[in-house]
Amino acid sequence: MKLEDYELIVHLSTIGTVRGAAKHLYVSQPAITQRLRYIESYFQHPLFVRTSKKLLLTPVGEQVVEHAQKVMERETELQTLLQSYGDQISGTLSIGASSIVSQQFLPSLLETYTALYPDVKIDLVTGLSEDLRNPNQNFHVRLIRGKEMKDGENIHLLSDPLYLYDTKPFASGKERPLIAFKSDSTFHNLVDEWFLSQPSFKPIKSIQVDQIETCKQFMKKGLGMAVLPKSVVSEELHQYPHLPLTLDNEPLSRETWLCFQKNVRTLPQVDRFIQLVQESNFT
């Protein structure tokens, strides 16, 4: 068994479909299926039950996945130890970053970092903060929005105020569609809590889009109102009516965090990235 085989088992158990795992690993579905057949032959037991919707772990599969996770953890520990012996900054830097952080802050950060440390390989996954919190994702560092991680170190980077935007002046009792972008539950709970405290605002329906940029463009075309964090609002949007979101006279905001396990700072490439993030201006 190769390390890649153990990684495949863990990805299949986490993602739940061959198609999803193939997309995540950038390999074909037939290649995934063929490799899974070999792995199950090696263990002489089926590891998954195939249903029309997803893969379900068998009892043997549960044991093998637990073993695979331990193998990957030991491999990471070994790589951490070996990389700490050298003076040259190299190796891999694994980052999980929320979509907004990736769009607004990460490009300039990585531009500076890769210029300073060109021998470091960047392994980057972007997405919803809720998904990036998954402990099965072995990131060195996470740049996430909302609440900090329960385990490990958390460095607060930014309080991002929330505003309600529209192309039309706000008026008491006026009914308008609410344009909502895909985000995690903590953000949507904040927005719902604010609307409940503001009976004069009556969203009549919700337009659901996948990206925050799409949400902003729909708002600019007059299709409805939208709650947007300050970090994604360009100067041009100040021409549109907007209201800060507050509860009990306190502004509502989206918090941004840098999260990591303390021992990863023994990796020089990770420690330098954390230092660079701390020195950067997240405003």
Side-chain angles (χ1 to χ4, degrees), residues 16 20 38 68-69 80 85 154 167 183 214 220 222 230 256 258 270:
Y38 164 78
Q69 290 171 336
T80 298
Y85 290 148
N154 296 282
T167 54
S183 185
T214 307
K220 290 171 65 175
K230 182 181 179 181
T256 303
L258 171 65
V270 179

Side-chain angles (χ1 to χ4, degrees), residues 3 6-7 10 65-80 135-136 138 263:
L3 181 64
Y6 289 116
E7 291 175 340
V10 172
V65 167
E66 184 178 347
H67 172 69
Q69 290 171 336
K70 291 178 180 178
V71 170
M72 292 170 61
E73 289 172 3
R74 292 294 302 274
E75 177 70 17
T76 300
E77 291 172 359
L78 176 60
Q79 292 296 332
T80 298
N136 291 327
N138 293 315
N263 66 340

Side-chain angles (χ1 to χ4, degrees), residues 27-200:
V27 296
S28 68
Q29 293 185 50
I32 294 283
T33 302
Q34 182 178 5
R35 199 62 197 168
L36 180 57
R37 288 198 190 109
Y38 164 78
I39 294 169
E40 291 183 321
S41 174
Y42 176 86
F43 287 109
Q44 299 182 353
H45 287 280
L47 305 185
F48 297 93
V49 173
R50 284 84 167 161
T51 72
S52 59
K53 292 186 177 180
K54 64 181 299 184
L55 299 172
L56 302 176
L57 282 170
T58 64
V60 171
E62 292 178 2
Q63 296 297 317
V64 172
V65 167
E66 184 178 347
H67 172 69
Q69 290 171 336
K70 291 178 180 178
V71 170
M72 292 170 61
E73 289 172 3
R74 292 294 302 274
E75 177 70 17
T76 300
E77 291 172 359
L78 176 60
Q79 292 296 332
T80 298
L81 178 64
L82 295 177
Q83 290 175 18
S84 67
Y85 290 148
D87 295 329
Q88 184 179 6
I89 306 300
S90 59
T92 299
L93 172 63
S94 177
I95 307 170
S98 78
S99 298
I100 292 178
V101 172
S102 302
Q103 294 166 9
Q104 301 299 318
F105 306 112
L106 206 52
S108 59
L109 267 174
L110 290 180
E111 180 185 26
T112 302
Y113 182 85
T114 55
L116 291 171
Y117 311 110
D119 294 326
V120 175
K121 176 186 174 184
I122 305 297
D123 183 2
L124 173 65
V125 174
T126 66
L128 295 180
S129 295
E130 217 162 46
D131 296 333
L132 298 173
R133 296 173 191 276
N134 189 331
N136 291 327
Q137 300 271 25
N138 293 315
F139 299 118
H140 291 136
V141 295
R142 291 171 169 85
L143 290 158
I144 59 175
R145 307 268 283 183
K147 296 180 179 180
E148 68 270 38
M149 298 281 289
K150 293 182 179 179
D151 299 322
E153 302 285 322
N154 296 282
I155 298 175
H156 185 259
L157 301 177
L158 173 68
S159 289
D160 202 356
L162 300 177
Y163 292 85
L164 180 67
Y165 277 89
D166 204 342
T167 54
K168 300 179 180 181
F170 298 109
S172 178
K174 181 178 68 175
E175 295 183 340
R176 289 284 283 158
L178 176 65
I179 309 165
F181 59 91
K182 191 175 182 181
S183 185
D184 54 70
S185 58
T186 57
F187 174 79
H188 293 302
N189 290 341
L190 276 178
V191 175
D192 291 343
E193 189 176 2
W194 185 81
F195 273 109
L196 287 173
S197 72
Q198 303 288 327
S200 59

